[in-house]
Amino acid sequence: MRGRGDTMVRVAPEDTPSMAHRAGLPAKFVPATRNIVDGILRRRNVTDQDAPDTRSVMAYAADNTARTPVVLALLIAITASHAAKATDRTPTAVDVYPPQIQLTTSRDHQSIVVQAVFADGITRDVTDEAAVAVADVGIARFDNGVIHPVADGATTVAAEFAGLTATVPVEVAQSAVDRPVSFQLDVMPVFMKAGCNSGSCHGAARGKDGFRLSLFGFDPQGDYFRLTREVPDRRINLALPAECLLLGKATGSVPHTGGTRFDVDSPYFQTLLRWLQAGAPRDAGVIPAVDEVKIYPPGAVLDGPGASQRVIVRARYSDGTTRDVTALAFFMTNNDDAAPITQQGVVTAKNRGEAFVMARFETHTVGTHFIVLPSNLEFQWTEVPELNYIDTHIHAKLRKLRIRPSQVCTDEEFLRRATLDITGTLPTEEEYRAFMASDDAEKRKRLVDELLQRKEFVEMWVMKWAELLQIRTTPQMSYKSMLRYYNWLQERIAGNVPINQLVKELLASVGGTFANAATNYYQNETDTLKIAENVAQVFLGMRIQCAQCHNHPFDRWTMDDYYSFAAFFSQIGRKQGEDPREQIVFNAGSGEVKHPVDGRVMPPKFLGGDSPDTAGKDRRAVLAEWIGSTDNPYFARNLANIVWAHFFGRGIIDEVDDVRVTNPAVNPELLDALAEKFVEYQYDFKKLVRDICTSRTYQLSTVTNESNANDLSNFSHAILRRLRAEILLDAISQVTDAQNKFRGLPLGARAVQIADGNTSTYFLTTFGRAKRETVCSCEVSMEPNLSQALHLLNGDTVHSKIQQANQGNVVDQLLKQGKSTREVVEALYIRCLCRTPTDEEHAAVEKVLAEYDDPKLGLEDTFWALLNSREFLFNH
Amino acid sequence: MPARLGDVTKPHAARWFDFLVETCPMRSCKQQLAGVGGPVICWFLAAACVSAASPRLSHILPRGMRRGEDHVLAFHGSRIGDAQEIFFYEPGLETVEIKAESDAVVRATVRVADDCRLGEHIAQVRTASGISDFRTVWVGILPVVDEAEPNNQFDAPQLVSLNVTVRGVIDNEDVDYFAVDAKAGERLSVEVEGMRLGTTLFDPYVAILNDKRFELAASDDSPLVQQDAVAGVIAPDDGRYFVEVRESAYGGNGNCRYRLHVGTFPRPTGVYPAGGPAGAQMTVRFVGDPKGDIEQSVTLPGEPTLDFGLIANDPGGAAPSSNAFRVVAFDNVLETEPNNSAADAAATELPRALNGILHAAGDVDHFQFGAKKGQVFDIECYARRLGSPVDAVIHVLDASGNTLIGNDDSRGPDSYLRFTVPADGNYVVRVSDHLQRGGPDFVYRVEIEPAAAALTLGIPRVERYGQYRQTVSVPRGNRFATLVSASRANFGGDLVLEETALPDGIHITADPMPANLNVMPVLFEAAADAPLGGKLVDFTARHADASQNIRGGFLNQADLVLGPPNQSVYRRCEVDRLAMAVVEHIPFKLEIVEPKVPLVRDGSLELKIIVQRDEGFTAPISVQFPFRPPGVGTVPSVTIPEGQNEVVYPLNANGNAQIGPWKVYAIGSADVKGSAWASTQLASLTVAEPMVTVAMPRSACEQGQTVQILGTLNHVRSFQGQAKAQLLGLPAKVTAPDVEFDSQTEQIVFEVAMDPSSPAGTHRNILCRVTVIQDGEPIVSRAGTAELQIDKPLPAPQDQPAPVAQTPPAEEPDAKPLSRLEKLRLEARQRKARQGAKETGGGG
């Protein structure tokens, strides 16, 4: 059974690998015989009528659009046969959170959550069902899920459920003292929780309805001023605190565009009222900073829709105290479909899937991992071979999700996939035949090793880095400068310079833009803040742009972090070089970045790290050293993720340059392992590529089974990936043996070799080539669209390349070699699709070819149809 | 060719082309025309079929020659068909034969001596009618092969043997590949001359690749050769290696010629020390070669020499180009490490050249010297100018380590500063790299010597970027004058030209150049029987006070390659002698009719220039007046119309024109199949004070009336006879008759008549021109200015009875004309008197 017939739809999970290979791809995708034949006929129509077959074009676009990965949609297919519900079972453990309780001052309190864990990993919130008791009720009391202080001292609180007991210690201090209300610690969080200082309300740059608060509270002093001093006697009224405009608006007792934010009975109202009653004091002395925020429980596996789990959030301050800030935290989830959360912190399971549930307090965002399974799930993990550590981590996660990975792909698929991914080229007919003929058990490994030695591998990564480094001509950068920059990159990558070394050379570069082309990094962008943003995004994967104007709403970065990071780039000097076209970049040794709110000179500080000693040093060199070192927790992970994403079409963190607390890795253990290996390999990413390409995970088939059919993010099967613009054009040029010509490059240059981001062709632009105007990974568009399909069908690229090749066109050449029609068809299939045609395909093609008077014309049309087939356009 | 001309299928221009081919009388030209395809070229050549003046040279092909061989060089340009000689500025090149192929191409067989200096040489064509621009041609040591296209594919390179010079061209987006076979351990060096050839903006890139297409060495620019490239490797294995040449940004065009030297020769990137005292025998060390340092003994020229270079030699061959080397009048001091702090600096005497290498990143070198208060030293660092990577920064520190003065880039990347010693004591010079770089070839040299006087002569440019008329071509029996400029460094004073050997038959005339001027006119005359011929003249001047012992010679820089941004100069070359020639007779001769009267300050003079035309020569002649005494201005040029024999050149002097006698000249050109130039004699022109000035008060009157404008004369010098004063610049419909006066007159009055429609307002640009006739020639000056206010009459008051006509009180019979102010005062007095009378009447 070589089921590529149009009746072939889906391979059953029990199919042998060989059958799966022949089945190859889902029917929607496979350019089965019908596709090819249709293609030939379609081309005839096009030729005859000069009009495209709009229906087919639409189908093409629609098919592929539908299959585009949907962000964060994780649907786990699992067969359900678990007999008993979790509620009926006995848990293996019961946990109480938080693990310690510390109550300081009389108003302090701490809510607790009790979680039961069952043998199959399912968890259940049993806070209401468990028997909770405080050991010494003279120290603390338990009331409706909350522990309150009674007197100073230490005791424990125990929770008992289903015969299991968990105990946590409780410490009470200053129980007789009432902590005075603080503007920054108590009042500001209310504005955050109630949404007052959000961007759509008073946090807007010009405020709202005449009143402005700093966005997400980045400027407490300014907020205090605006509340108490800006319009005297209007916003607050110390004589009649409860009657003032501030409270009236918030509770809706006077008209408020933003509606009622909280009611009079709420703790938020009480906090504001207490502050006003105290005379709206400005905080005195040192205000404790929030050092750490934790969310509990650390994870949950919910059994079926409707199961719920409450979460609690606790903050630790720099003075050593803790506070239960569950009521003040802002809750979010990254998958509303699976695990929505209320602003009271209650997650209620909805559909199957996984979610990252997050709480934001002050500038901290923390998350906890939730999995929602269908009720009564039965899942049996069958052992799958693990070729290296990558498979170990992938399988571990899949087990958790009750997903079975697909079968391994065929040799043909692997040859095409690896050659395209590693070198950006298609295997030649000779390579195909040699690989298929080899019976070496290790031939896949050998292929990877061989491909990694090719210059095309270097060129592919030069192209990718060129996108990250925005290599393109600008008014500040001449074509020569740009080309020097590109060649510098190429030399580094060809020379296997460790990536951390490359980054050090780049960021700490000094010298002429010709002599040391790495300095073009600072010519391309001369704005200090932009340089800092680009460095953070490219090398650390972080988008810190938000923090230029306000604290980052979805990450931990504050304005202080932003400007302290930018201070690394404030001392770049530039002068005219000896060549009139050249600039010299050097360390000027002076220049500072000031905080825009209060004009403070910001000392250089690593993102999420220390303030290094930069006195007398080139600040950029200090930063480059840190970025390229293991002190920096982001760099190796980020680069490993970028490499991973190239081979799988999506990152472990996706997008690769959007690393933030609120966008967690789908498999952090895998990412950590890759990062560790990357460091172990001395940042030689070639070795990382070898690990990836020889893993079983990389070799998985695109054919799915019931359990992973809907998985798009956990790498349980290969995902179809449209060839990116440059590689597609090179592939077309390669199989048609027709050379490209690009501006500013010699004839025959490949599209991946285009040095200048501004050099493009209609084809490349249509297929989403990056212009390198920004560092964003989103510049490369992989989305299929109608104009791509139209261009392939009607445009001059495919047609003219089939017609015009170097020495006679390919079909001519093949016929001149004395090949029969059948052999030519086979050669064309191998060239384009890296496989031989099935018998059915042969038969169908022959039938169509018989209608041609000139077999050459028919074969050219076959060639055209192959190049227009989806199998050609996708890596699978 | 009526049949051809009637051929409608050919484009119009092409038909003309055919026509010209058939009708051109010169056989070689006909052949040339038949070989080219464009009508534009056709017109150009058609005009060039006879010899002509103002020859221009655009380039010389091939761009290089090999030492010890004869080569045929093609000199390409325009109007060089009558070429007679090639001027080479250095020995070692000799013209064996010269043959004009057309007016645009001259082929000369040139013999390159065995000991000819390697590198750039300058050549210039002397024709029977002029001297061309100078251009460069290169001399190398390796046998020459030509590039053979197609060699654009790595897979299909051109195979060449080692130790050759390849002559090639890079077209747009062209890449040339050459393959050589080398043995393991053998040095494989490449050097490409592209920008240095000075043809066009061509920035070459060169790379040595292995058979897997990986670059073993690549070079785009190099401090040693600027935009050109050098690269070298030790071959890792026996095998085939590939040399890639292209434009660094994949540009290129038919003019992007290169000379690629490929071989086993040494290619050091520096020499240490990079200079020495004239006449010395010394050992130098070439650094930066892939095979390691090369020591070599050298003997330096006996005199300080600019542009001296040393060629590195070793068993692998000789470097294709030299390493620049300073030959100066004083001794070297070599650094002794450690000298990384001022405390470690070794003491030295001055003047000296301090030599060192910034061995490693962060290296800083210090040297110490003693000096007396008030001494002035020029401290000049040579690094990049010698091909070193160092971007030098120099500082002078006092004994306690405080920085007194510093400089980074006053000489391009190199540094220069003038240090005036503040007090007796020891001082330290610190040398570092701007980017704190260092390396084995980071050679530098700091020359410290007392600030010395220096003088350079030149001929100011006529073309902004070209060399036109920066030579002296004197037509037989005619004259040629030029401006000579002088640049005085560290001194002032008058200059005089020194006697020198000129081409036979040329006579030179020049007055001393005054201290306050930096240009002077110099006249060259050739006898009618002077032989056609020319030479490169050592053209020098000295301080007028011979005891000062200040002299200097001619220097001219030509911009060979210009490019973005803003027409920056990428390649220039210099000559230190003035090309001079006696050229063929030209059919006109110019002469200034010397004025008998001076040009006075604020005055003007019409200088008459006459032309003696040969029989039948009627072409118009464009005349310029290049030398203008300070404060004297004129128009850029005037033209003697066709067939006419004189023209007036209007000169004017401003109020500060420098008074005194001056020598001036005019120079004219006519199209004698190319512009032929001849000048007048050096004529005397005196700038003097004006004879008389006129002070005129402001005046006002109403439309339709007449006003007197009074002028008070100030006689600066007396004159004979009558002078005439005119008001110029009067508003429309205002007239004033001229006034005559003599040297006794103190006041003049202009009767200025208004029309009722004369424009109301204040008119300020009214001039009084005074013309004094002396010796029958006018001395014209702008003697004063006047301001005239014209008012509209006041409307008659309507609610009052018409004023009774009163007889105005009889004016006092004083003939003295009243100024406006006096009139106003008078009116006020009269008004007061009337008022007083009225009041008196009322009270009575």
Side-chain angles (χ1 to χ4, degrees), chain A residues 266-283:
Chain A
S266 69
Y268 312 123
F269 181 89
Q270 294 304 323
T271 300
L272 296 191
L273 185 62
R274 274 178 59 219
W275 177 63
L276 293 171
Q277 284 168 339
R282 188 194 288 271
D283 290 342

PDB file of all heavy atoms in Angstrom, chain A residues 266-283:
ATOM      1  N   SER A 266     -15.982  47.202  50.719  1.00  0.00           N
ATOM      2  CA  SER A 266     -14.788  46.466  50.306  1.00  0.00           C
ATOM      3  C   SER A 266     -13.580  46.911  51.122  1.00  0.00           C
ATOM      4  O   SER A 266     -13.522  48.028  51.639  1.00  0.00           O
ATOM      5  CB  SER A 266     -14.517  46.722  48.826  1.00  0.00           C
ATOM      6  OG  SER A 266     -14.106  48.059  48.665  1.00  0.00           O
ATOM      7  N   PRO A 267     -12.601  46.037  51.243  1.00  0.00           N
ATOM      8  CA  PRO A 267     -11.367  46.427  51.934  1.00  0.00           C
ATOM      9  C   PRO A 267     -10.666  47.575  51.226  1.00  0.00           C
ATOM     10  O   PRO A 267      -9.945  48.344  51.849  1.00  0.00           O
ATOM     11  CB  PRO A 267     -10.520  45.156  51.902  1.00  0.00           C
ATOM     12  CG  PRO A 267     -11.106  44.304  50.843  1.00  0.00           C
ATOM     13  CD  PRO A 267     -12.563  44.667  50.768  1.00  0.00           C
ATOM     14  N   TYR A 268     -10.885  47.684  49.899  1.00  0.00           N
ATOM     15  CA  TYR A 268     -10.217  48.761  49.147  1.00  0.00           C
ATOM     16  C   TYR A 268     -10.723  50.113  49.634  1.00  0.00           C
ATOM     17  O   TYR A 268      -9.966  51.045  49.853  1.00  0.00           O
ATOM     18  CB  TYR A 268     -10.471  48.592  47.645  1.00  0.00           C
ATOM     19  CG  TYR A 268     -10.229  47.178  47.159  1.00  0.00           C
ATOM     20  CD1 TYR A 268     -11.220  46.438  46.509  1.00  0.00           C
ATOM     21  CD2 TYR A 268      -8.989  46.566  47.380  1.00  0.00           C
ATOM     22  CE1 TYR A 268     -10.992  45.152  46.083  1.00  0.00           C
ATOM     23  CE2 TYR A 268      -8.758  45.262  46.961  1.00  0.00           C
ATOM     24  CZ  TYR A 268      -9.767  44.549  46.321  1.00  0.00           C
ATOM     25  OH  TYR A 268      -9.532  43.280  45.917  1.00  0.00           O
ATOM     26  N   PHE A 269     -12.048  50.189  49.786  1.00  0.00           N
ATOM     27  CA  PHE A 269     -12.645  51.425  50.283  1.00  0.00           C
ATOM     28  C   PHE A 269     -12.096  51.743  51.668  1.00  0.00           C
ATOM     29  O   PHE A 269     -11.708  52.881  51.965  1.00  0.00           O
ATOM     30  CB  PHE A 269     -14.168  51.276  50.313  1.00  0.00           C
ATOM     31  CG  PHE A 269     -14.883  52.524  50.784  1.00  0.00           C
ATOM     32  CD1 PHE A 269     -15.266  53.503  49.864  1.00  0.00           C
ATOM     33  CD2 PHE A 269     -15.161  52.735  52.131  1.00  0.00           C
ATOM     34  CE1 PHE A 269     -15.899  54.649  50.293  1.00  0.00           C
ATOM     35  CE2 PHE A 269     -15.788  53.885  52.550  1.00  0.00           C
ATOM     36  CZ  PHE A 269     -16.177  54.846  51.629  1.00  0.00           C
ATOM     37  N   GLN A 270     -12.051  50.706  52.490  1.00  0.00           N
ATOM     38  CA  GLN A 270     -11.592  50.908  53.863  1.00  0.00           C
ATOM     39  C   GLN A 270     -10.142  51.402  53.901  1.00  0.00           C
ATOM     40  O   GLN A 270      -9.793  52.271  54.699  1.00  0.00           O
ATOM     41  CB  GLN A 270     -11.703  49.595  54.656  1.00  0.00           C
ATOM     42  CG  GLN A 270     -13.151  49.134  54.848  1.00  0.00           C
ATOM     43  CD  GLN A 270     -14.017  50.195  55.529  1.00  0.00           C
ATOM     44  OE1 GLN A 270     -13.561  50.908  56.412  1.00  0.00           O
ATOM     45  NE2 GLN A 270     -15.264  50.327  55.084  1.00  0.00           N
ATOM     46  N   THR A 271      -9.325  50.849  53.013  1.00  0.00           N
ATOM     47  CA  THR A 271      -7.912  51.276  52.977  1.00  0.00           C
ATOM     48  C   THR A 271      -7.809  52.758  52.637  1.00  0.00           C
ATOM     49  O   THR A 271      -7.115  53.532  53.302  1.00  0.00           O
ATOM     50  CB  THR A 271      -7.143  50.446  51.925  1.00  0.00           C
ATOM     51  OG1 THR A 271      -7.236  49.082  52.295  1.00  0.00           O
ATOM     52  CG2 THR A 271      -5.677  50.865  51.865  1.00  0.00           C
ATOM     53  N   LEU A 272      -8.532  53.162  51.588  1.00  0.00           N
ATOM     54  CA  LEU A 272      -8.459  54.565  51.180  1.00  0.00           C
ATOM     55  C   LEU A 272      -9.006  55.463  52.282  1.00  0.00           C
ATOM     56  O   LEU A 272      -8.459  56.522  52.586  1.00  0.00           O
ATOM     57  CB  LEU A 272      -9.252  54.793  49.876  1.00  0.00           C
ATOM     58  CG  LEU A 272      -8.743  54.064  48.631  1.00  0.00           C
ATOM     59  CD1 LEU A 272      -9.465  54.598  47.378  1.00  0.00           C
ATOM     60  CD2 LEU A 272      -7.256  54.245  48.453  1.00  0.00           C
ATOM     61  N   LEU A 273     -10.092  55.023  52.891  1.00  0.00           N
ATOM     62  CA  LEU A 273     -10.717  55.830  53.930  1.00  0.00           C
ATOM     63  C   LEU A 273      -9.771  56.005  55.132  1.00  0.00           C
ATOM     64  O   LEU A 273      -9.610  57.111  55.658  1.00  0.00           O
ATOM     65  CB  LEU A 273     -12.031  55.169  54.381  1.00  0.00           C
ATOM     66  CG  LEU A 273     -12.853  55.962  55.389  1.00  0.00           C
ATOM     67  CD1 LEU A 273     -13.287  57.304  54.783  1.00  0.00           C
ATOM     68  CD2 LEU A 273     -14.087  55.177  55.835  1.00  0.00           C
ATOM     69  N   ARG A 274      -9.130  54.906  55.497  1.00  0.00           N
ATOM     70  CA  ARG A 274      -8.195  54.991  56.629  1.00  0.00           C
ATOM     71  C   ARG A 274      -7.065  55.968  56.321  1.00  0.00           C
ATOM     72  O   ARG A 274      -6.623  56.730  57.170  1.00  0.00           O
ATOM     73  CB  ARG A 274      -7.589  53.605  56.915  1.00  0.00           C
ATOM     74  CG  ARG A 274      -8.448  52.739  57.831  1.00  0.00           C
ATOM     75  CD  ARG A 274      -7.784  51.386  57.995  1.00  0.00           C
ATOM     76  NE  ARG A 274      -6.458  51.489  58.553  1.00  0.00           N
ATOM     77  CZ  ARG A 274      -5.418  50.749  58.180  1.00  0.00           C
ATOM     78  NH1 ARG A 274      -5.550  49.848  57.235  1.00  0.00           N
ATOM     79  NH2 ARG A 274      -4.249  50.901  58.753  1.00  0.00           N
ATOM     80  N   TRP A 275      -6.632  55.933  55.090  1.00  0.00           N
ATOM     81  CA  TRP A 275      -5.534  56.827  54.692  1.00  0.00           C
ATOM     82  C   TRP A 275      -5.989  58.290  54.775  1.00  0.00           C
ATOM     83  O   TRP A 275      -5.285  59.160  55.292  1.00  0.00           O
ATOM     84  CB  TRP A 275      -5.082  56.477  53.273  1.00  0.00           C
ATOM     85  CG  TRP A 275      -4.005  57.373  52.730  1.00  0.00           C
ATOM     86  CD1 TRP A 275      -2.748  57.522  53.216  1.00  0.00           C
ATOM     87  CD2 TRP A 275      -4.103  58.244  51.598  1.00  0.00           C
ATOM     88  NE1 TRP A 275      -2.040  58.422  52.456  1.00  0.00           N
ATOM     89  CE2 TRP A 275      -2.854  58.887  51.448  1.00  0.00           C
ATOM     90  CE3 TRP A 275      -5.125  58.519  50.678  1.00  0.00           C
ATOM     91  CZ2 TRP A 275      -2.602  59.801  50.428  1.00  0.00           C
ATOM     92  CZ3 TRP A 275      -4.866  59.423  49.655  1.00  0.00           C
ATOM     93  CH2 TRP A 275      -3.621  60.060  49.540  1.00  0.00           C
ATOM     94  N   LEU A 276      -7.207  58.511  54.311  1.00  0.00           N
ATOM     95  CA  LEU A 276      -7.723  59.883  54.345  1.00  0.00           C
ATOM     96  C   LEU A 276      -7.970  60.323  55.791  1.00  0.00           C
ATOM     97  O   LEU A 276      -7.664  61.454  56.173  1.00  0.00           O
ATOM     98  CB  LEU A 276      -9.015  59.986  53.531  1.00  0.00           C
ATOM     99  CG  LEU A 276      -8.843  59.783  52.014  1.00  0.00           C
ATOM    100  CD1 LEU A 276     -10.201  59.678  51.328  1.00  0.00           C
ATOM    101  CD2 LEU A 276      -8.035  60.939  51.425  1.00  0.00           C
ATOM    102  N   GLN A 277      -8.504  59.400  56.551  1.00  0.00           N
ATOM    103  CA  GLN A 277      -8.782  59.746  57.959  1.00  0.00           C
ATOM    104  C   GLN A 277      -7.483  60.045  58.712  1.00  0.00           C
ATOM    105  O   GLN A 277      -7.460  60.859  59.633  1.00  0.00           O
ATOM    106  CB  GLN A 277      -9.531  58.603  58.641  1.00  0.00           C
ATOM    107  CG  GLN A 277     -10.996  58.562  58.237  1.00  0.00           C
ATOM    108  CD  GLN A 277     -11.686  57.285  58.653  1.00  0.00           C
ATOM    109  OE1 GLN A 277     -11.015  56.270  58.899  1.00  0.00           O
ATOM    110  NE2 GLN A 277     -13.003  57.306  58.713  1.00  0.00           N
ATOM    111  N   ALA A 278      -6.422  59.408  58.265  1.00  0.00           N
ATOM    112  CA  ALA A 278      -5.128  59.656  58.905  1.00  0.00           C
ATOM    113  C   ALA A 278      -4.517  60.968  58.433  1.00  0.00           C
ATOM    114  O   ALA A 278      -3.401  61.306  58.816  1.00  0.00           O
ATOM    115  CB  ALA A 278      -4.188  58.498  58.612  1.00  0.00           C
ATOM    116  N   GLY A 279      -5.231  61.679  57.534  1.00  0.00           N
ATOM    117  CA  GLY A 279      -4.710  62.960  57.058  1.00  0.00           C
ATOM    118  C   GLY A 279      -3.975  62.837  55.737  1.00  0.00           C
ATOM    119  O   GLY A 279      -3.188  63.703  55.387  1.00  0.00           O
ATOM    120  N   ALA A 280      -4.224  61.760  55.003  1.00  0.00           N
ATOM    121  CA  ALA A 280      -3.563  61.521  53.706  1.00  0.00           C
ATOM    122  C   ALA A 280      -2.067  61.751  53.810  1.00  0.00           C
ATOM    123  O   ALA A 280      -1.494  62.573  53.094  1.00  0.00           O
ATOM    124  CB  ALA A 280      -4.188  62.385  52.611  1.00  0.00           C
ATOM    125  N   PRO A 281      -1.403  61.044  54.722  1.00  0.00           N
ATOM    126  CA  PRO A 281       0.018  61.324  54.945  1.00  0.00           C
ATOM    127  C   PRO A 281       0.889  60.833  53.789  1.00  0.00           C
ATOM    128  O   PRO A 281       0.559  59.853  53.113  1.00  0.00           O
ATOM    129  CB  PRO A 281       0.326  60.530  56.213  1.00  0.00           C
ATOM    130  CG  PRO A 281      -0.640  59.405  56.189  1.00  0.00           C
ATOM    131  CD  PRO A 281      -1.891  59.923  55.544  1.00  0.00           C
ATOM    132  N   ARG A 282       1.965  61.549  53.635  1.00  0.00           N
ATOM    133  CA  ARG A 282       3.003  61.086  52.701  1.00  0.00           C
ATOM    134  C   ARG A 282       3.861  60.093  53.479  1.00  0.00           C
ATOM    135  O   ARG A 282       4.130  60.293  54.657  1.00  0.00           O
ATOM    136  CB  ARG A 282       3.852  62.279  52.270  1.00  0.00           C
ATOM    137  CG  ARG A 282       4.856  61.984  51.165  1.00  0.00           C
ATOM    138  CD  ARG A 282       5.853  63.124  51.060  1.00  0.00           C
ATOM    139  NE  ARG A 282       5.266  64.334  50.495  1.00  0.00           N
ATOM    140  CZ  ARG A 282       5.231  64.615  49.184  1.00  0.00           C
ATOM    141  NH1 ARG A 282       5.743  63.762  48.329  1.00  0.00           N
ATOM    142  NH2 ARG A 282       4.697  65.724  48.733  1.00  0.00           N
ATOM    143  N   ASP A 283       4.292  59.001  52.834  1.00  0.00           N
ATOM    144  CA  ASP A 283       5.068  57.987  53.541  1.00  0.00           C
ATOM    145  C   ASP A 283       6.364  58.599  54.061  1.00  0.00           C
ATOM    146  O   ASP A 283       7.055  59.312  53.328  1.00  0.00           O
ATOM    147  CB  ASP A 283       5.401  56.819  52.605  1.00  0.00           C
ATOM    148  CG  ASP A 283       4.149  56.020  52.288  1.00  0.00           C
ATOM    149  OD1 ASP A 283       3.166  56.152  53.039  1.00  0.00           O
ATOM    150  OD2 ASP A 283       4.159  55.272  51.297  1.00  0.00           O
TER     151      ASP A 283
END
